[in-house]
Amino acid sequence: MESKRLFGTNGIRGITNEELTPEFALKIAYATGSFFKRGNILVGYDGRTSSPMLANAVTAGLISTGCQVYNGGMAPTPAIQYAIKHHRMDGGVMITASHNPPQYNGIKVMAKDGVELPREKELKIEKIFFNNKFQLAEWNALGEIYSKLNVLETYIEAVKRHADIEAIREKGYKIVVDAGNGVGSLTLPRLLREIGCQVLTLNANVDGTFPGRPSEPRPENLQELASLVKTVKADLGIALDGDADRAIFTDEKGQIHWGDRSFALIAKHFLIENPKETVVTPVSSSQLIKDVVDEYKGKLVWTKVGSITVARTMLKMKAKLGGEENGGVFYAPHHPVRDSAMTAILILNIMVRTGKRLSELLRELPTYYIEKGKVECPHELKQKTLAELTAQVKNLKVDTIDGVKIWFEDKSAILIRPSGTEPLYRLYAEAKTKQRAKTLLKKYEKTVRTLINKLMDRSIGGKPKRFHHQS
Ligand code: MG
């Protein structure tokens, strides 16, 4: 039987005061503090209604184990992560549910390098938690709370160091920032103004109810940004998620570009300036990334899906650039974590160095059509389905880093992957034409559905068919 888990693919998540109560947060902090053994821990939180409550519970739990807590306050996740490294903390805790709906919140635990803990360390915290092996301190050895860190200023200054400030100032770009009422409101507009951009904002007041738009910067949520960019004749539109680690861009025509395109653009110019470097991306990313990395003579490393895996792989391979299709870009010369402000600076640097508009720059990239689908699958059949599927396609060109990815001769590909949280398989087909992507998706949806149905019949067939009365 699988052991109980606290941490999902991206920290601990739950609905406020249902799963995620102050009591639960306190216990997580007992376990985390016991793991860090009286270390110096930075605690930060996003703009959700429940974030101060949970941050206070976490702080209480940490000081009760003898840890010293540095209060980083309300800040973007990447700002807290940077401060952990910059101030040489022993670790950090961030209260955030990223782009989830407002009733959710979450807890992320970071190592001293500011990157989320690797899986084996999460397991240690889980073990302390489930066994109640908390190391609470004596009354005279409790931790203290310090609150004099300028997390936001330190972060803005650090990101600015990677910007071509003089050239950007000279251009005087007009930029619309849609912060989605998230914590990016506190940093990105200010950062861009400080480097000489003219900034107009949308939803740039922190509000944990997310009144402006859903917190995830998906194209369907960004119509207001797109039309505002056109109306005010801006050079660029930037949309953030709730904790400001992801950025999605619109060009000057108000066209929204999904994250694999902005990441491919960054990868291209990064490789032009840094030939032969390694670029890290999950298997869910577009073939576009591979085309660009091949063309500009880089080395591409595919990973499992999940930002922690991308960041930890980058550190291991000393890679400077990583990215995800959802708009998360990792730039190690600053910090190998997803960072929307750093991503915005990389895009501006490209615009200023090439003298081109974003629409032109993106037009130069190859085009792929992506079709997504899903097939229901009970949790208990996920692994069997995967095994059967892998056997079925073994004569094709496949990659099994995470689910099954099949590559075809005509540069089309399909990724078939069990969801980590929901009872379903997700399919991502892509091809040079929309028709081919659709056909591919349909074909493999059918294959997966047939496989699952067969497995279900078999598992039902194996059980007694008659109900028995309980005695
Ligand atoms: Mg996020």
Side-chain angles (χ1 to χ4, degrees):
M1 215 181 84
E2 217 187 345
S3 60
K4 276 190 281 185
R5 296 272 319 257
L6 274 180
F7 294 91
T9 43
N10 211 341
I12 298 162
R13 292 273 168 93
I15 294 176
T16 299
N17 274 354
E18 286 183 21
E19 297 110 329
L20 213 51
T21 58
E23 192 185 355
F24 178 70
L26 183 77
K27 267 187 79 180
I28 299 276
Y30 286 163
T32 305
S34 305
F35 168 82
F36 280 112
K37 297 191 169 57
R38 298 167 191 255
N40 295 329
I41 309 295
L42 182 68
V43 175
Y45 53 92
D46 71 10
R48 286 167 187 271
T49 55
S50 58
S51 290
M53 171 183 91
L54 295 169
N56 277 302
V58 164
T59 299
L62 289 170
I63 60 174
S64 81
T65 61
C67 286
Q68 307 303 324
V69 169
Y70 290 77
N71 179 5
M74 188 191 285
T77 299
I80 292 294
Q81 291 181 300
Y82 182 78
I84 293 167
K85 182 177 77 165
H86 180 79
H87 293 291
R88 297 172 199 272
M89 295 281 146
D90 297 300
V93 178
M94 177 73 192
I95 309 298
T96 179
S98 186
H99 59 273
N100 287 160
Q103 65 272 31
Y104 282 83
N105 214 328
I107 302 173
K108 271 175 189 261
V109 181
M110 262 77 70
K112 65 177 184 196
D113 57 9
V115 178
E116 290 92 330
L117 288 181
R119 182 72 197 125
E120 66 270 16
K121 294 197 173 151
E122 285 179 353
L123 276 169
K124 284 190 180 163
I125 294 180
E126 285 176 358
K127 207 169 155 196
I128 299 170
F129 180 91
F130 288 117
N131 296 330
N132 285 306
K133 286 270 165 28
F134 307 127
Q135 313 257 322
L136 300 192
E138 296 286 330
W139 67 272
N140 55 1
L142 300 173
E144 292 187 42
I145 305 171
Y146 304 88
S147 54
K148 287 275 179 261
L149 298 180
N150 290 321
V151 169
L152 301 178
E153 287 73 14
T154 308
Y155 170 71
I156 288 173
E157 288 309 313
V159 175
K160 262 162 74 176
R161 283 201 285 276
H162 299 277
D164 290 351
I165 298 182
E166 289 320 311
I168 292 171
R169 194 180 297 282
E170 210 169 289
K171 286 276 185 189
Y173 290 121
K174 188 191 272 189
I175 302 175
V176 183
V177 173
D178 177 354
N181 301 112
V183 269
S185 309
L186 305 175
T187 44
L188 190 60
R190 187 173 138 194
L191 164 63
L192 295 174
R193 283 182 186 123
E194 285 181 15
I195 60 172
C197 298
Q198 186 190 340
V199 181
L200 286 85
T201 58
L202 193 59
N203 308 317
N205 54 317
V206 179
D207 186 331
T209 66
F210 300 136
R213 62 159 167 88
S215 177
E216 182 161 27
R218 300 198 58 80
E220 60 270 28
N221 301 334
L222 306 180
Q223 296 310 322
E224 255 189 297
L225 171 68
S227 67
L228 187 56
V229 165
K230 265 200 303 200
T231 310
V232 302
K233 296 194 166 54
D235 297 286
L236 186 67
I238 310 173
L240 310 179
D241 77 328
D243 65 331
D245 57 354
R246 288 161 50 187
I248 291 293
F249 297 88
T250 82
D251 62 30
E252 76 286 356
K253 294 175 177 160
Q255 195 186 334
I256 302 159
H257 296 274
W258 191 232
D260 45 14
R261 295 193 70 74
S262 42
F263 174 47
L265 179 68
I266 290 168
K268 172 179 164 177
H269 290 271
F270 170 75
L271 288 170
I272 291 172
E273 288 168 23
N274 306 274
K276 297 188 180 145
E277 285 283 345
T278 299
V279 175
V280 179
T281 200
V283 281
S284 52
S285 289
S286 168
Q287 173 86 6
L288 172 60
I289 310 297
K290 183 169 161 44
D291 285 5
V292 166
V293 173
D294 285 349
E295 187 178 344
Y296 295 94
K297 308 281 181 279
K299 183 169 171 271
L300 186 64
V301 174
W302 296 104
T303 68
K304 277 182 186 292
V305 176
S307 65
I308 305 178
T309 314
V310 175
R312 290 277 159 216
T313 306
M314 286 176 69
L315 285 167
K316 202 158 66 192
M317 310 198 69
K318 296 192 166 51
K320 293 199 183 93
L321 185 68
E324 300 174 315
E325 46 86 43
N326 60 17
V329 173
F330 309 62
Y331 185 63
H334 167 61
H335 200 192
V337 299
R338 290 200 292 218
D339 189 326
S340 64
M342 191 60 243
T343 310
I345 293 300
L346 292 172
I347 293 283
L348 282 174
N349 283 349
I350 295 168
M351 287 169 62
V352 84
R353 286 172 198 176
T354 58
K356 290 180 181 171
R357 320 214 73 180
L358 190 61
S359 64
E360 270 178 87
L361 288 162
L362 287 163
R363 217 183 302 128
E364 293 167 358
L365 296 174
T367 304
Y368 279 90
Y369 294 87
I370 297 176
E371 292 287 326
K372 296 183 184 179
K374 51 191 170 191
V375 175
E376 284 178 29
C377 175
H379 290 294
E380 61 275 17
L381 291 183
K382 280 179 180 172
Q383 285 315 309
K384 271 190 191 159
T385 305
L386 193 60
E388 299 245 343
L389 184 67
T390 311
Q392 233 181 62
V393 299
K394 68 171 188 292
N395 294 325
L396 302 171
K397 193 179 171 218
V398 292
D399 204 319
T400 53
I401 295 172
D402 198 349
V404 175
K405 185 156 187 172
I406 313 168
W407 312 86
F408 301 93
E409 286 292 317
D410 63 350
K411 287 199 157 192
S412 57
I414 186 155
L415 173 68
I416 304 157
R417 184 177 167 263
S419 161
T421 47
E422 292 167 85
L424 46 89
Y425 260 81
R426 293 187 188 283
L427 292 87
Y428 311 74
E430 65 170 330
K432 300 297 277 180
T433 66
K434 202 172 174 62
Q435 192 48 47
R436 170 73 174 141
K438 276 190 171 160
T439 315
L440 203 56
L441 180 68
K442 281 230 172 68
K443 181 182 167 195
Y444 280 92
E445 272 179 345
K446 201 174 154 207
T447 306
V448 175
R449 201 171 290 124
T450 311
L451 259 176
I452 294 168
N453 285 342
K454 227 186 341 183
L455 287 168
M456 272 165 99
D457 286 348
R458 225 186 283 166
S459 70
I460 292 167
K463 280 180 194 158
K465 290 201 173 77
R466 264 183 324 121
F467 288 100
H468 296 276
H469 291 288
Q470 291 203 326
S471 53

